Amino acid sequence: MLEVDALVKRFGKSAVVDGISFAVGAGEVVGLVGPNGAGKSTTMKVICGLLKPNSGKVTIDGITFSQDARIYLSKLGVLIESPAFYPGLSGHNHLAYLARMRGRCSDALIGSTLARVGLDADSSKPVREYSTGMKQRLGIAMAILHQPKLLILDEPTNGLDPAAIVATRDLLGQMAEGGTAVLVSSHLLYEIERVCDRVVFIKAGRVIRDQKIQIDEPSVVRMLVRCNNPETAQEILAKQDFILEIQPTEKGLVCTLAAQKVGQLGSVLVHGGLDLLELSPVRGGLEDVYVSDYG
């Protein structure tokens, strides 16, 4: 649905986006991750036609912005940075205004869209009375009102409470199930990991990693072991053939073992006369990758 090919965007002599290429398929949720200044927002703005690239190509559903800007933009829903509103207009009237501009959004669709973001009960209030989180949800509603084929969201969970974050995560999943391609940028790696199928890591305007999110249960796990006598614990565990590796750390012993053998880990230590203080999984995932790439 979205193809970004060798995209370059310079400001003066500085290339903020320096040859970025990636794609997002229909029904796929892709995260765009990187530190501040990596080029995430600039890339999104170029995709949306807000900035003109120096070189490279962006297509949405096979169409470029230069070929037909109206059709190109009709396929796109966007929320970049902070949404802007008319303070005196209600949430409903903001969507009604967009509906009139697009010419094909019914009152029923406006109502269902507000309900999807949890604003149906507050739809008649002027936006000046909205909290930061409510404004963010209204921005998302405005982006999805016309049921776009590509949805681009930059930090969509800014200002949201935990319940609204979960609801937004569910909404993105529903959009993807309906065939919408979703590109989302966030510094909340645990949310990216939960909602995305793939993650594109960028640094200094370049793609440095493009990887799928692992959703299968791992066959090998790492467990943190804390007990009253770490030295004795290490001696006991070193004799167990199901322990693949033992790594002493400041927090305790990190043991690598087959996932189905985790139950035996605690039993061996307890039967060895030790007091087991903690047995917990060592989380890896995107945070480890991020630290490795940017740390």
Side-chain angles (χ1 to χ4, degrees), residues 39-55:
K40 302 185 301 297
S41 293
T42 300
T43 299
M44 288 180 162
K45 288 177 180 178
V46 172
I47 294 171
C48 298
L50 296 173
L51 293 174
K52 185 177 180 180
N54 294 93
S55 61

Side-chain angles (χ1 to χ4, degrees), residues 73-95:
L73 294 175
S74 72
K75 299 174 181 292
L76 184 61
V78 181
L79 175 59
I80 295 181
E81 297 175 348
S82 299
F85 306 106
Y86 296 100
L89 285 184
S90 67
H92 180 277
N93 284 341
H94 273 84
L95 266 63

Side-chain angles (χ1 to χ4, degrees), residues 53-107:
N54 294 93
S55 61
K57 184 179 180 182
V58 179
T59 60
I60 298 177
D61 201 18
I63 297 175
T64 66
F65 185 86
S66 59
Q67 284 176 323
D68 194 320
R70 184 183 62 82
I71 293 179
Y72 180 97
L73 294 175
S74 72
K75 299 174 181 292
L76 184 61
V78 181
L79 175 59
I80 295 181
E81 297 175 348
S82 299
F85 306 106
Y86 296 100
L89 285 184
S90 67
H92 180 277
N93 284 341
H94 273 84
L95 266 63
Y97 176 72
L98 287 180
R100 287 196 296 271
M101 290 180 63
R102 294 190 177 276
R104 57 183 181 87
C105 299
S106 65
D107 284 341

Side-chain angles (χ1 to χ4, degrees), residues 208-239:
I208 60 171
R209 186 188 297 267
D210 186 337
Q211 74 174 50
K212 291 183 178 180
I213 297 292
Q214 178 59 259
I215 60 175
D216 297 330
E217 289 296 322
S219 59
V220 176
V221 296
R222 293 193 301 158
M223 301 295 296
L224 174 65
V225 176
R226 286 199 311 116
C227 56
N228 60 322
N229 192 327
E231 293 79 12
T232 301
Q234 186 168 355
E235 291 176 4
I236 292 174
L237 294 174
K239 299 175 182 178

Side-chain angles (χ1 to χ4, degrees), residues 114 133 187 217:
L114 288 166
H187 288 106
E217 289 296 322

Side-chain angles (χ1 to χ4, degrees), residues 184-256:
V184 56
S185 172
S186 177
H187 288 106
L188 302 179
L189 296 183
Y190 57 89
E191 286 299 328
I192 288 287
E193 198 161 21
R194 289 185 177 191
V195 76
C196 292
D197 303 300
R198 277 179 33 243
V199 180
V200 176
F201 293 82
I202 65 173
K203 182 177 183 179
R206 298 180 180 180
V207 174
I208 60 171
R209 186 188 297 267
D210 186 337
Q211 74 174 50
K212 291 183 178 180
I213 297 292
Q214 178 59 259
I215 60 175
D216 297 330
E217 289 296 322
S219 59
V220 176
V221 296
R222 293 193 301 158
M223 301 295 296
L224 174 65
V225 176
R226 286 199 311 116
C227 56
N228 60 322
N229 192 327
E231 293 79 12
T232 301
Q234 186 168 355
E235 291 176 4
I236 292 174
L237 294 174
K239 299 175 182 178
Q240 310 304 314
D241 57 6
F242 65 87
I243 301 293
L244 305 178
E245 183 182 7
I246 303 172
Q247 181 183 1
T249 70
E250 293 182 358
K251 294 182 179 180
L253 301 175
V254 175
C255 300
T256 303

Side-chain angles (χ1 to χ4, degrees), residues 86-167:
Y86 296 100
L89 285 184
S90 67
H92 180 277
N93 284 341
H94 273 84
L95 266 63
Y97 176 72
L98 287 180
R100 287 196 296 271
M101 290 180 63
R102 294 190 177 276
R104 57 183 181 87
C105 299
S106 65
D107 284 341
L109 182 57
I110 291 172
S112 65
T113 301
L114 288 166
R116 293 182 78 179
V117 299
L119 286 178
D120 43 332
D122 300 293
S123 63
S124 61
K125 291 182 180 179
V127 169
R128 70 167 64 94
E129 298 180 11
Y130 279 19
S131 66
T132 299
M134 292 168 69
K135 290 177 181 177
Q136 190 72 6
R137 283 183 280 157
L138 180 57
I140 294 172
M142 293 168 68
I144 68 173
L145 174 64
H146 60 296
Q147 301 172 311
K149 289 192 172 184
L150 171 65
L151 178 62
I152 295 181
L153 301 176
D154 188 10
E155 300 289 349
T157 56
N158 275 352
L160 299 185
D161 59 35
I165 289 175
V166 172

